[in-house]
Amino acid sequence: MISRCFPRTRRNWPAPVKSGACAEATGTRLSSPWALPKVAAAERGAPHVTCHSCFSLSRPEEIMRLSTYFLPTLKETPAEAQIASHRLMLRAGMVRQSASGIYTWLPLGLRVLKNIERIVREEQNAAGAQELLMPTIQSADLWRESGRYDAYGKEMLRITDRHEREMLYGPTNEELITQIFRDNVRSYREMPKILYQIQWKFRDEVRPRFGVMRGREFLMKDCYSFAMDYEGAKKAYEVMFNAYLKTFKRMGLTAIPMAADSGAIGGSLSHEFHILAETGESGVFYDVAYDELAAKDEIDLETLSKLYAVTDEKHDSSAANCPPAERLKEARGIEVGHIFYLGTKYSKAMNAVVPGPGGETVLAEMGCYGIGVSRLMGAIIEAYHDDRGIKWPEAVAPFKVGLINLKAGDATCDKTCEDIYRSLSENGVEVLYDDRDDRAGVKFADMDLIGLPWQLVAGPKGLAVGVVELKNRLSGEKVELSVEAALARLTA
C-alpha cells in the first residue's frame, strides 16, 4: 500500500492509492479509494498528478511560450474560406480541415471550444439539467420505432456492422433518450426530468461550407425534458429559454429568440436563437423592446412571445404584432440555438409512459433544446472581428493576456516578462507569452490576429523609464503604466 505522495518518472506513472494518501500535498483527504497522488511541491522536474476530483493529469507549471506553442498561423487567406470566421480560424491556427466539412481542432481553437462548452455546461447545470453521455452510433431499429429512419434523408450516415446489423451515426438523439427514459423511469414520483449531453455529431451535408458554421461534424449540446403534463413541459421550456439567454449573454452576445419551424425534429412550440452580427447569414427584424428585455436576468416567455421577431423570409410588415417603423430594428443574425416543445410525438411512437398517481399510464410530455457549441465559435468571431483579426470576449478567449517581449534575449526584458507571467498566473490569469526572437511588427500582427483581450508589451525603452504598454484588443485603447499598475488592472 502506498501511504504518501511520491514523485514518479514518465515510465512509472502513479498507481492507485488508498483514500487520504495525498493529504500531505493537498491539505485535504481524497474521497476516492482510487485517487492518484500528487507529487510534493518540492519535487521539481518530475511529473505530478492531481487526484481524480480535480480531473487533471498535469506537469509542473511551465510558461506558455509562443516560441514552443503549436500555433501554425497563415499570412495569406486560403482560397476556400468565404466568410470571416472561416478565414480567421484558419489564419489564426485554430483549426485545419481534415476532410470536407470535418476539422481538426488545434490547441488555440480547442481552448476556445472548451471555454464555450464550459459556459454552456454551467448554465445547463444551473437550470437543473443533468448531464449524461450517449453513444454516437445508434441502432436503426430504434429509429424505425419513431418512424424517422426512412424519413430523415441522406444527411443521416447509415452504416452496417460486421453482423449485417443496420446502424447509424446519430445526427440527433430523440429516439435514444426516449428509450433511456422509457426503460428507467418507473413512477410519477421521479418526474420531471431534464437530461443533456455535449457530444460530437455528424450530418452528411450535401454542400458543407463556411468552416465550422456549416460542417458535417460538429459539437452540440442537446437537452431533453420529460414532464407529466403540458404545464410541466411548458415550465421546462421556459427554464431552458431563460438558460439560453443567460448562456449567450455570458459570451458577450446579443441573442434574439424567434418563433420557428420544427423541421425534422418535429413538435409545435419552437424558437430559434439568432445572435446579432454584421456578417450574419440571415436578415432579422425585431421589436426594439427586445433590447430592453435582454438586460434582464429573467424573461417571461409570455411577454416575449407577444413581441415581433422574425427572419427576413418571414417578415411581414402588415402582421398584427409588427411594430411601427420607428420601433422596428433590422439586423443580421446567425442561428446558434433551437428549442422545441415535442409533446408526445416520440413518447407515443415509442410507448414512453409513466404510471400516474392513480395508477393510470401517462405519455411523457417532451421538449428538446439544442445549442451548436462548435458553431458558436464561428458565430462569436463573426460578431467580434476587424480587419486585423479576432477580438475575443474575455469569457471565451483562449488566454486573457498576450504578453509581448519586444527584445527577447535582453536580460531586463526577459526577467520582467517572466516575473509578470508568474504574477498573473498566480492570480488565475491565463497568459500566452511571446518570447520569440522576431520583429515587433510580426508580434503585434500575430497578437491582433489571434485576438486575445489584452496585450501587455514590455520593451527596453519603456522598462528604462519603468513602464509597459497595455492594449485592449476590443477598443484598441493603449495606455502606458507601471508594471504594478498593469498587473493590478489585469487581476482586478
Side-chain angles (χ1 to χ4, degrees):
M1 179 188 300
I2 300 169
S3 59
R4 51 171 292 144
C5 303
F6 62 102
R8 298 183 73 88
T9 66
R10 284 180 182 270
R11 295 181 180 178
N12 191 18
W13 287 102
V17 297
K18 296 295 287 183
S19 178
C22 69
E24 289 185 27
T26 64
T28 59
R29 294 186 63 82
L30 299 181
S31 59
S32 168
W34 293 101
L36 293 173
K38 179 177 179 180
V39 167
E43 299 291 346
R44 301 300 181 188
H48 76 266
V49 182
T50 305
C51 63
H52 286 314
S53 62
C54 297
F55 297 102
S56 67
L57 185 66
S58 56
R59 292 186 54 114
E61 180 184 332
E62 295 177 358
I63 293 179
M64 196 70 75
R65 301 177 185 272
L66 198 50
S67 60
T68 57
Y69 196 74
F70 184 49
L71 186 65
T73 57
L74 302 174
K75 291 184 178 180
E76 303 299 327
T77 300
E80 72 271 17
Q82 301 176 37
I83 62 173
S85 58
H86 193 191
R87 292 194 298 269
L88 291 171
M89 289 181 73
L90 290 172
R91 287 196 55 219
M94 308 189 87
V95 296
R96 286 294 182 265
Q97 183 169 302
S98 301
S100 177
I102 300 174
Y103 291 85
T104 293
W105 293 80
L106 303 184
L108 195 73
L110 186 60
R111 289 180 73 95
V112 178
L113 190 66
K114 291 296 183 183
N115 284 337
I116 295 171
E117 182 182 339
R118 171 182 50 79
I119 292 173
V120 170
R121 176 176 285 110
E122 288 172 357
E123 292 301 328
Q124 289 294 288
N125 292 344
Q130 301 175 60
E131 187 172 9
L132 48 68
L133 183 61
M134 291 176 274
T136 56
I137 304 299
Q138 303 177 32
S139 167
D141 291 339
L142 200 56
W143 280 61
R144 289 193 176 99
E145 283 190 50
S146 71
R148 284 207 302 172
Y149 183 71
D150 296 316
Y152 200 90
K154 293 184 177 180
E155 290 82 7
M156 185 163 65
L157 184 64
R158 295 164 169 83
I159 56 180
T160 303
D161 70 11
R162 66 172 64 194
H163 302 291
E164 300 302 316
R165 289 179 294 222
E166 292 178 293
M167 312 291 285
L168 59 94
Y169 196 124
T172 182
N173 282 76
E174 283 75 18
E175 284 80 3
L176 187 52
I177 196 69
T178 302
Q179 181 196 45
I180 292 168
F181 173 85
R182 178 186 67 192
D183 295 348
N184 295 281
V185 175
R186 305 297 184 188
S187 169
Y188 71 94
R189 294 187 179 88
E190 301 175 56
M191 299 288 279
K193 286 284 183 286
I194 304 179
L195 306 171
Y196 80 98
Q197 66 173 353
I198 300 176
Q199 181 201 53
W200 288 97
K201 299 187 185 302
F202 184 90
R203 292 178 189 164
D204 199 3
E205 294 276 353
V206 64
R207 203 159 57 89
R209 58 195 186 279
F210 305 149
V212 300
M213 295 280 284
R214 188 69 64 85
R216 294 195 295 165
E217 185 184 54
F218 53 94
L219 187 62
M220 180 177 177
K221 187 281 301 181
D222 49 315
C223 178
Y224 307 90
S225 64
F226 299 86
M228 291 297 291
D229 53 29
Y230 173 76
E231 288 304 315
K234 185 180 178 184
K235 183 178 180 181
Y237 192 96
E238 291 176 352
V239 166
M240 281 296 122
F241 191 100
N242 278 293
Y244 274 41
L245 294 177
K246 291 177 182 178
T247 298
F248 301 133
K249 187 176 181 179
R250 282 185 62 184
M251 297 180 193
L253 301 169
T254 301
I256 307 296
M258 303 184 182
D261 295 325
S262 297
I265 301 293
S268 53
L269 182 62
S270 175
H271 282 87
E272 293 176 354
F273 290 78
H274 288 248
I275 64 165
L276 300 184
E278 291 182 4
T279 55
E281 60 191 354
S282 304
V284 297
F285 295 84
Y286 65 97
D287 193 316
V288 69
Y290 269 107
D291 293 338
E292 300 169 6
L293 284 175
K296 297 182 178 180
D297 290 333
E298 296 287 338
I299 299 178
D300 179 62
L301 182 57
E302 186 174 346
T303 301
L304 186 142
S305 64
K306 296 176 183 178
L307 298 177
Y308 188 78
V310 295
T311 54
D312 49 7
E313 65 266 19
K314 292 187 176 183
H315 175 51
D316 181 3
S317 58
S318 64
N321 65 335
C322 184
E326 62 270 18
R327 283 182 47 215
L328 183 65
K329 295 191 74 170
E330 181 179 358
R332 305 295 297 177
I334 301 167
E335 183 191 347
V336 292
H338 204 155
I339 63 177
F340 310 83
Y341 161 62
L342 297 174
T344 59
K345 173 182 171 66
Y346 293 93
S347 56
K348 184 176 182 180
M350 300 180 66
N351 196 35
V353 297
V354 180
E360 73 282 9
T361 56
V362 179
L363 286 169
E365 293 273 351
M366 294 175 58
C368 71
Y369 319 90
I371 289 180
V373 177
S374 51
R375 179 178 173 83
L376 256 173
M377 185 164 161
I380 292 170
I381 295 173
E382 293 293 332
Y384 288 96
H385 74 275
D386 59 18
D387 293 338
R388 296 187 300 277
I390 304 166
K391 303 197 292 188
W392 291 115
E394 278 195 27
V396 299
F399 300 90
K400 180 177 178 177
V401 178
L403 176 60
I404 302 174
N405 184 341
L406 289 182
K407 193 171 183 181
D410 177 87
T412 302
C413 288
D414 290 352
K415 184 178 187 305
T416 300
C417 286
E418 297 202 7
D419 288 346
I420 289 172
Y421 186 101
R422 289 193 171 87
S423 180
L424 290 173
S425 296
E426 287 169 1
N427 283 278
V429 177
E430 294 184 311
V431 184
L432 181 60
Y433 173 31
D434 190 346
D435 64 328
R436 296 174 298 172
D437 183 15
D438 214 331
R439 293 180 293 109
V442 172
K443 297 188 175 194
F444 292 142
D446 281 348
M447 280 297 175
D448 281 347
L449 175 61
I450 65 176
L452 307 186
W454 296 93
Q455 297 174 17
L456 187 57
V457 185
K461 291 182 180 179
L463 292 179
V465 293
V467 297
V468 290
E469 181 183 87
L470 184 63
K471 174 184 174 180
N472 182 281
R473 178 69 179 96
L474 185 62
S475 68
E477 177 190 6
K478 299 179 183 179
V479 60
E480 288 189 340
L481 300 165
S482 67
V483 172
E484 292 77 14
L487 290 174
R489 180 174 296 193
L490 293 172
T491 56

mmCIF file of all heavy atoms in Angstrom, residues 347-389:
data_model
loop_
_atom_site.group_PDB
_atom_site.id
_atom_site.type_symbol
_atom_site.label_atom_id
_atom_site.label_comp_id
_atom_site.label_asym_id
_atom_site.label_seq_id
_atom_site.Cartn_x
_atom_site.Cartn_y
_atom_site.Cartn_z
ATOM 1 N N SER A 347 -42.839 9.994 -27.350
ATOM 2 C CA SER A 347 -43.301 9.099 -26.285
ATOM 3 C C SER A 347 -44.456 8.219 -26.762
ATOM 4 O O SER A 347 -44.544 7.053 -26.379
ATOM 5 C CB SER A 347 -43.717 9.916 -25.053
ATOM 6 O OG SER A 347 -44.696 10.864 -25.392
ATOM 7 N N LYS A 348 -45.314 8.750 -27.622
ATOM 8 C CA LYS A 348 -46.418 7.947 -28.148
ATOM 9 C C LYS A 348 -45.905 6.887 -29.116
ATOM 10 O O LYS A 348 -46.296 5.721 -29.049
ATOM 11 C CB LYS A 348 -47.437 8.850 -28.846
ATOM 12 C CG LYS A 348 -48.666 8.110 -29.341
ATOM 13 C CD LYS A 348 -49.682 9.091 -29.936
ATOM 14 C CE LYS A 348 -50.945 8.360 -30.388
ATOM 15 N NZ LYS A 348 -51.940 9.310 -30.959
ATOM 16 N N ALA A 349 -44.990 7.290 -30.022
ATOM 17 C CA ALA A 349 -44.462 6.349 -31.005
ATOM 18 C C ALA A 349 -43.656 5.236 -30.354
ATOM 19 O O ALA A 349 -43.638 4.096 -30.846
ATOM 20 C CB ALA A 349 -43.603 7.091 -32.024
ATOM 21 N N MET A 350 -42.991 5.548 -29.215
ATOM 22 C CA MET A 350 -42.102 4.582 -28.585
ATOM 23 C C MET A 350 -42.633 4.083 -27.239
ATOM 24 O O MET A 350 -41.912 3.422 -26.493
ATOM 25 C CB MET A 350 -40.713 5.200 -28.420
ATOM 26 C CG MET A 350 -40.089 5.614 -29.756
ATOM 27 S SD MET A 350 -38.444 6.358 -29.595
ATOM 28 C CE MET A 350 -37.508 4.959 -28.983
ATOM 29 N N ASN A 351 -43.882 4.420 -26.932
ATOM 30 C CA ASN A 351 -44.546 3.935 -25.717
ATOM 31 C C ASN A 351 -43.769 4.290 -24.451
ATOM 32 O O ASN A 351 -43.565 3.460 -23.558
ATOM 33 C CB ASN A 351 -44.768 2.421 -25.786
ATOM 34 C CG ASN A 351 -45.783 1.955 -24.751
ATOM 35 O OD1 ASN A 351 -46.746 2.660 -24.456
ATOM 36 N ND2 ASN A 351 -45.567 0.773 -24.199
ATOM 37 N N ALA A 352 -43.374 5.556 -24.365
ATOM 38 C CA ALA A 352 -42.689 6.042 -23.168
ATOM 39 C C ALA A 352 -43.744 6.567 -22.202
ATOM 40 O O ALA A 352 -44.149 7.736 -22.270
ATOM 41 C CB ALA A 352 -41.678 7.136 -23.529
ATOM 42 N N VAL A 353 -44.214 5.699 -21.335
ATOM 43 C CA VAL A 353 -45.298 6.044 -20.417
ATOM 44 C C VAL A 353 -44.812 5.974 -18.974
ATOM 45 O O VAL A 353 -43.843 5.274 -18.653
ATOM 46 C CB VAL A 353 -46.513 5.117 -20.619
ATOM 47 C CG1 VAL A 353 -47.093 5.273 -22.015
ATOM 48 C CG2 VAL A 353 -46.142 3.661 -20.344
ATOM 49 N N VAL A 354 -45.520 6.735 -18.120
ATOM 50 C CA VAL A 354 -45.198 6.760 -16.695
ATOM 51 C C VAL A 354 -46.486 6.509 -15.914
ATOM 52 O O VAL A 354 -47.517 7.132 -16.200
ATOM 53 C CB VAL A 354 -44.609 8.127 -16.289
ATOM 54 C CG1 VAL A 354 -44.278 8.139 -14.795
ATOM 55 C CG2 VAL A 354 -43.375 8.445 -17.111
ATOM 56 N N PRO A 355 -46.485 5.601 -14.924
ATOM 57 C CA PRO A 355 -47.666 5.423 -14.066
ATOM 58 C C PRO A 355 -47.945 6.697 -13.279
ATOM 59 O O PRO A 355 -47.055 7.262 -12.647
ATOM 60 C CB PRO A 355 -47.263 4.273 -13.139
ATOM 61 C CG PRO A 355 -46.164 3.558 -13.869
ATOM 62 C CD PRO A 355 -45.423 4.624 -14.620
ATOM 63 N N GLY A 356 -49.201 7.178 -13.356
ATOM 64 C CA GLY A 356 -49.581 8.390 -12.641
ATOM 65 C C GLY A 356 -49.977 8.107 -11.208
ATOM 66 O O GLY A 356 -49.930 6.961 -10.745
ATOM 67 N N PRO A 357 -50.425 9.143 -10.465
ATOM 68 C CA PRO A 357 -50.801 8.981 -9.044
ATOM 69 C C PRO A 357 -51.921 7.970 -8.823
ATOM 70 O O PRO A 357 -51.950 7.292 -7.791
ATOM 71 C CB PRO A 357 -51.249 10.395 -8.645
ATOM 72 C CG PRO A 357 -50.603 11.296 -9.623
ATOM 73 C CD PRO A 357 -50.518 10.546 -10.906
ATOM 74 N N GLY A 358 -52.845 7.850 -9.802
ATOM 75 C CA GLY A 358 -53.946 6.917 -9.645
ATOM 76 C C GLY A 358 -53.714 5.583 -10.318
ATOM 77 O O GLY A 358 -54.644 4.783 -10.459
ATOM 78 N N GLY A 359 -52.469 5.345 -10.769
ATOM 79 C CA GLY A 359 -52.147 4.093 -11.430
ATOM 80 C C GLY A 359 -52.346 4.122 -12.934
ATOM 81 O O GLY A 359 -52.006 3.167 -13.637
ATOM 82 N N GLU A 360 -52.918 5.247 -13.441
ATOM 83 C CA GLU A 360 -53.109 5.374 -14.891
ATOM 84 C C GLU A 360 -51.768 5.600 -15.581
ATOM 85 O O GLU A 360 -50.828 6.126 -14.987
ATOM 86 C CB GLU A 360 -54.059 6.534 -15.183
ATOM 87 C CG GLU A 360 -53.474 7.933 -14.989
ATOM 88 C CD GLU A 360 -53.377 8.400 -13.547
ATOM 89 O OE1 GLU A 360 -53.612 7.574 -12.635
ATOM 90 O OE2 GLU A 360 -53.053 9.577 -13.330
ATOM 91 N N THR A 361 -51.660 5.174 -16.840
ATOM 92 C CA THR A 361 -50.432 5.403 -17.595
ATOM 93 C C THR A 361 -50.527 6.735 -18.326
ATOM 94 O O THR A 361 -51.552 7.059 -18.937
ATOM 95 C CB THR A 361 -50.192 4.276 -18.620
ATOM 96 O OG1 THR A 361 -51.324 4.166 -19.475
ATOM 97 C CG2 THR A 361 -49.943 2.962 -17.912
ATOM 98 N N VAL A 362 -49.447 7.515 -18.245
ATOM 99 C CA VAL A 362 -49.402 8.855 -18.835
ATOM 100 C C VAL A 362 -48.245 8.919 -19.822
ATOM 101 O O VAL A 362 -47.108 8.555 -19.483
ATOM 102 C CB VAL A 362 -49.213 9.926 -17.735
ATOM 103 C CG1 VAL A 362 -49.135 11.317 -18.359
ATOM 104 C CG2 VAL A 362 -50.333 9.848 -16.718
ATOM 105 N N LEU A 363 -48.538 9.383 -21.036
ATOM 106 C CA LEU A 363 -47.475 9.597 -22.008
ATOM 107 C C LEU A 363 -46.648 10.815 -21.600
ATOM 108 O O LEU A 363 -47.207 11.870 -21.268
ATOM 109 C CB LEU A 363 -48.065 9.837 -23.402
ATOM 110 C CG LEU A 363 -48.631 8.618 -24.131
ATOM 111 C CD1 LEU A 363 -49.411 9.060 -25.367
ATOM 112 C CD2 LEU A 363 -47.502 7.665 -24.539
ATOM 113 N N ALA A 364 -45.339 10.660 -21.601
ATOM 114 C CA ALA A 364 -44.462 11.764 -21.209
ATOM 115 C C ALA A 364 -44.572 12.910 -22.215
ATOM 116 O O ALA A 364 -44.574 12.701 -23.426
ATOM 117 C CB ALA A 364 -43.021 11.287 -21.129
ATOM 118 N N GLU A 365 -44.664 14.120 -21.677
ATOM 119 C CA GLU A 365 -44.637 15.333 -22.498
ATOM 120 C C GLU A 365 -43.182 15.782 -22.593
ATOM 121 O O GLU A 365 -42.529 16.034 -21.584
ATOM 122 C CB GLU A 365 -45.488 16.427 -21.851
ATOM 123 C CG GLU A 365 -46.972 16.121 -21.831
ATOM 124 C CD GLU A 365 -47.672 16.573 -23.112
ATOM 125 O OE1 GLU A 365 -47.037 17.263 -23.923
ATOM 126 O OE2 GLU A 365 -48.861 16.232 -23.286
ATOM 127 N N MET A 366 -42.690 15.886 -23.827
ATOM 128 C CA MET A 366 -41.257 16.097 -24.031
ATOM 129 C C MET A 366 -40.932 17.453 -24.661
ATOM 130 O O MET A 366 -41.764 18.084 -25.290
ATOM 131 C CB MET A 366 -40.690 14.981 -24.922
ATOM 132 C CG MET A 366 -40.701 13.606 -24.317
ATOM 133 S SD MET A 366 -40.155 12.329 -25.495
ATOM 134 C CE MET A 366 -38.507 12.934 -25.928
ATOM 135 N N GLY A 367 -39.688 17.854 -24.464
ATOM 136 C CA GLY A 367 -39.125 19.013 -25.148
ATOM 137 C C GLY A 367 -37.687 18.722 -25.485
ATOM 138 O O GLY A 367 -37.057 17.863 -24.851
ATOM 139 N N CYS A 368 -37.139 19.370 -26.497
ATOM 140 C CA CYS A 368 -35.704 19.212 -26.790
ATOM 141 C C CYS A 368 -35.099 20.579 -27.087
ATOM 142 O O CYS A 368 -35.773 21.477 -27.597
ATOM 143 C CB CYS A 368 -35.457 18.226 -27.926
ATOM 144 S SG CYS A 368 -35.926 18.798 -29.556
ATOM 145 N N TYR A 369 -33.809 20.705 -26.760
ATOM 146 C CA TYR A 369 -33.161 22.008 -26.729
ATOM 147 C C TYR A 369 -31.712 21.860 -27.199
ATOM 148 O O TYR A 369 -30.909 21.194 -26.545
ATOM 149 C CB TYR A 369 -33.194 22.563 -25.303
ATOM 150 C CG TYR A 369 -34.528 22.324 -24.605
ATOM 151 C CD1 TYR A 369 -34.736 21.153 -23.857
ATOM 152 C CD2 TYR A 369 -35.570 23.219 -24.725
ATOM 153 C CE1 TYR A 369 -35.947 20.911 -23.237
ATOM 154 C CE2 TYR A 369 -36.803 22.983 -24.116
ATOM 155 C CZ TYR A 369 -36.989 21.826 -23.369
ATOM 156 O OH TYR A 369 -38.196 21.582 -22.778
ATOM 157 N N GLY A 370 -31.379 22.478 -28.316
ATOM 158 C CA GLY A 370 -30.043 22.313 -28.887
ATOM 159 C C GLY A 370 -29.259 23.612 -28.961
ATOM 160 O O GLY A 370 -29.819 24.687 -29.213
ATOM 161 N N ILE A 371 -27.954 23.515 -28.735
ATOM 162 C CA ILE A 371 -27.005 24.624 -28.960
ATOM 163 C C ILE A 371 -25.843 24.076 -29.768
ATOM 164 O O ILE A 371 -25.247 23.050 -29.410
ATOM 165 C CB ILE A 371 -26.479 25.218 -27.645
ATOM 166 C CG1 ILE A 371 -27.570 26.011 -26.925
ATOM 167 C CG2 ILE A 371 -25.287 26.143 -27.916
ATOM 168 C CD1 ILE A 371 -27.123 26.629 -25.610
ATOM 169 N N GLY A 372 -25.511 24.751 -30.848
ATOM 170 C CA GLY A 372 -24.345 24.372 -31.648
ATOM 171 C C GLY A 372 -23.083 24.924 -31.013
ATOM 172 O O GLY A 372 -22.725 26.087 -31.225
ATOM 173 N N VAL A 373 -22.404 24.106 -30.216
ATOM 174 C CA VAL A 373 -21.240 24.573 -29.461
ATOM 175 C C VAL A 373 -20.097 24.978 -30.402
ATOM 176 O O VAL A 373 -19.532 26.073 -30.283
ATOM 177 C CB VAL A 373 -20.770 23.491 -28.469
ATOM 178 C CG1 VAL A 373 -19.512 23.940 -27.728
ATOM 179 C CG2 VAL A 373 -21.889 23.175 -27.470
ATOM 180 N N SER A 374 -19.755 24.113 -31.353
ATOM 181 C CA SER A 374 -18.677 24.456 -32.280
ATOM 182 C C SER A 374 -19.114 25.568 -33.235
ATOM 183 O O SER A 374 -18.305 26.419 -33.629
ATOM 184 C CB SER A 374 -18.214 23.232 -33.057
ATOM 185 O OG SER A 374 -19.300 22.542 -33.661
ATOM 186 N N ARG A 375 -20.377 25.590 -33.624
ATOM 187 C CA ARG A 375 -20.896 26.655 -34.471
ATOM 188 C C ARG A 375 -20.818 28.012 -33.758
ATOM 189 O O ARG A 375 -20.565 29.055 -34.375
ATOM 190 C CB ARG A 375 -22.338 26.333 -34.863
ATOM 191 C CG ARG A 375 -23.014 27.379 -35.747
ATOM 192 C CD ARG A 375 -24.424 26.927 -36.103
ATOM 193 N NE ARG A 375 -25.175 27.946 -36.796
ATOM 194 C CZ ARG A 375 -25.121 28.209 -38.088
ATOM 195 N NH1 ARG A 375 -24.309 27.510 -38.865
ATOM 196 N NH2 ARG A 375 -25.860 29.165 -38.635
ATOM 197 N N LEU A 376 -21.029 27.995 -32.431
ATOM 198 C CA LEU A 376 -20.946 29.226 -31.654
ATOM 199 C C LEU A 376 -19.584 29.902 -31.795
ATOM 200 O O LEU A 376 -19.493 31.131 -31.791
ATOM 201 C CB LEU A 376 -21.211 28.922 -30.178
ATOM 202 C CG LEU A 376 -22.577 29.313 -29.627
ATOM 203 C CD1 LEU A 376 -22.734 28.796 -28.205
ATOM 204 C CD2 LEU A 376 -22.781 30.817 -29.673
ATOM 205 N N MET A 377 -18.549 29.100 -31.901
ATOM 206 C CA MET A 377 -17.209 29.673 -32.019
ATOM 207 C C MET A 377 -17.093 30.518 -33.279
ATOM 208 O O MET A 377 -16.582 31.649 -33.257
ATOM 209 C CB MET A 377 -16.158 28.565 -32.017
ATOM 210 C CG MET A 377 -14.739 29.066 -32.019
ATOM 211 S SD MET A 377 -13.643 27.721 -31.540
ATOM 212 C CE MET A 377 -12.093 28.320 -32.156
ATOM 213 N N GLY A 378 -17.598 29.986 -34.391
ATOM 214 C CA GLY A 378 -17.594 30.761 -35.620
ATOM 215 C C GLY A 378 -18.480 31.979 -35.517
ATOM 216 O O GLY A 378 -18.134 33.072 -36.000
ATOM 217 N N ALA A 379 -19.631 31.828 -34.860
ATOM 218 C CA ALA A 379 -20.566 32.940 -34.719
ATOM 219 C C ALA A 379 -19.974 34.064 -33.875
ATOM 220 O O ALA A 379 -20.176 35.249 -34.170
ATOM 221 C CB ALA A 379 -21.866 32.436 -34.105
ATOM 222 N N ILE A 380 -19.257 33.717 -32.822
ATOM 223 C CA ILE A 380 -18.617 34.734 -31.979
ATOM 224 C C ILE A 380 -17.601 35.528 -32.800
ATOM 225 O O ILE A 380 -17.524 36.762 -32.701
ATOM 226 C CB ILE A 380 -17.956 34.090 -30.751
ATOM 227 C CG1 ILE A 380 -19.024 33.530 -29.807
ATOM 228 C CG2 ILE A 380 -17.083 35.098 -30.005
ATOM 229 C CD1 ILE A 380 -18.472 32.658 -28.693
ATOM 230 N N ILE A 381 -16.823 34.836 -33.617
ATOM 231 C CA ILE A 381 -15.850 35.534 -34.461
ATOM 232 C C ILE A 381 -16.554 36.458 -35.445
ATOM 233 O O ILE A 381 -16.102 37.592 -35.698
ATOM 234 C CB ILE A 381 -14.951 34.523 -35.199
ATOM 235 C CG1 ILE A 381 -14.100 33.738 -34.203
ATOM 236 C CG2 ILE A 381 -14.038 35.243 -36.208
ATOM 237 C CD1 ILE A 381 -13.300 32.612 -34.820
ATOM 238 N N GLU A 382 -17.675 36.004 -36.015
ATOM 239 C CA GLU A 382 -18.422 36.862 -36.935
ATOM 240 C C GLU A 382 -18.873 38.142 -36.236
ATOM 241 O O GLU A 382 -18.920 39.208 -36.852
ATOM 242 C CB GLU A 382 -19.632 36.110 -37.500
ATOM 243 C CG GLU A 382 -19.285 34.955 -38.420
ATOM 244 C CD GLU A 382 -18.643 35.399 -39.726
ATOM 245 O OE1 GLU A 382 -18.914 36.528 -40.178
ATOM 246 O OE2 GLU A 382 -17.856 34.606 -40.289
ATOM 247 N N ALA A 383 -19.203 38.032 -34.944
ATOM 248 C CA ALA A 383 -19.665 39.197 -34.193
ATOM 249 C C ALA A 383 -18.513 40.049 -33.675
ATOM 250 O O ALA A 383 -18.695 41.253 -33.426
ATOM 251 C CB ALA A 383 -20.546 38.751 -33.025
ATOM 252 N N TYR A 384 -17.334 39.436 -33.501
ATOM 253 C CA TYR A 384 -16.192 40.131 -32.896
ATOM 254 C C TYR A 384 -14.929 39.961 -33.741
ATOM 255 O O TYR A 384 -14.118 39.079 -33.474
ATOM 256 C CB TYR A 384 -15.932 39.595 -31.482
ATOM 257 C CG TYR A 384 -16.944 40.003 -30.440
ATOM 258 C CD1 TYR A 384 -18.002 39.167 -30.109
ATOM 259 C CD2 TYR A 384 -16.844 41.225 -29.781
ATOM 260 C CE1 TYR A 384 -18.941 39.526 -29.154
ATOM 261 C CE2 TYR A 384 -17.764 41.596 -28.814
ATOM 262 C CZ TYR A 384 -18.813 40.751 -28.508
ATOM 263 O OH TYR A 384 -19.732 41.114 -27.563
ATOM 264 N N HIS A 385 -14.764 40.800 -34.739
ATOM 265 C CA HIS A 385 -13.526 40.802 -35.517
ATOM 266 C C HIS A 385 -13.367 42.147 -36.222
ATOM 267 O O HIS A 385 -14.318 42.930 -36.309
ATOM 268 C CB HIS A 385 -13.524 39.658 -36.551
ATOM 269 C CG HIS A 385 -14.427 39.898 -37.720
ATOM 270 N ND1 HIS A 385 -15.778 39.595 -37.701
ATOM 271 C CD2 HIS A 385 -14.187 40.423 -38.955
ATOM 272 C CE1 HIS A 385 -16.327 39.908 -38.861
ATOM 273 N NE2 HIS A 385 -15.387 40.426 -39.634
ATOM 274 N N ASP A 386 -12.166 42.397 -36.701
ATOM 275 C CA ASP A 386 -11.915 43.559 -37.550
ATOM 276 C C ASP A 386 -10.948 43.145 -38.648
ATOM 277 O O ASP A 386 -10.697 41.947 -38.850
ATOM 278 C CB ASP A 386 -11.400 44.754 -36.739
ATOM 279 C CG ASP A 386 -10.095 44.464 -35.995
ATOM 280 O OD1 ASP A 386 -9.398 43.475 -36.358
ATOM 281 O OD2 ASP A 386 -9.760 45.208 -35.059
ATOM 282 N N ASP A 387 -10.394 44.123 -39.348
ATOM 283 C CA ASP A 387 -9.508 43.807 -40.470
ATOM 284 C C ASP A 387 -8.222 43.112 -40.035
ATOM 285 O O ASP A 387 -7.572 42.428 -40.833
ATOM 286 C CB ASP A 387 -9.145 45.089 -41.242
ATOM 287 C CG ASP A 387 -10.344 45.694 -41.946
ATOM 288 O OD1 ASP A 387 -11.319 44.956 -42.186
ATOM 289 O OD2 ASP A 387 -10.297 46.906 -42.255
ATOM 290 N N ARG A 388 -7.843 43.264 -38.771
ATOM 291 C CA ARG A 388 -6.580 42.697 -38.292
ATOM 292 C C ARG A 388 -6.741 41.294 -37.707
ATOM 293 O O ARG A 388 -5.759 40.568 -37.583
ATOM 294 C CB ARG A 388 -5.934 43.623 -37.260
ATOM 295 C CG ARG A 388 -5.527 44.974 -37.824
ATOM 296 C CD ARG A 388 -4.745 45.787 -36.819
ATOM 297 N NE ARG A 388 -5.518 46.035 -35.605
ATOM 298 C CZ ARG A 388 -6.404 47.021 -35.472
ATOM 299 N NH1 ARG A 388 -6.655 47.824 -36.496
ATOM 300 N NH2 ARG A 388 -7.050 47.193 -34.335
ATOM 301 N N GLY A 389 -7.983 40.936 -37.315
ATOM 302 C CA GLY A 389 -8.154 39.609 -36.739
ATOM 303 C C GLY A 389 -9.345 39.520 -35.811
ATOM 304 O O GLY A 389 -10.292 40.306 -35.885
#
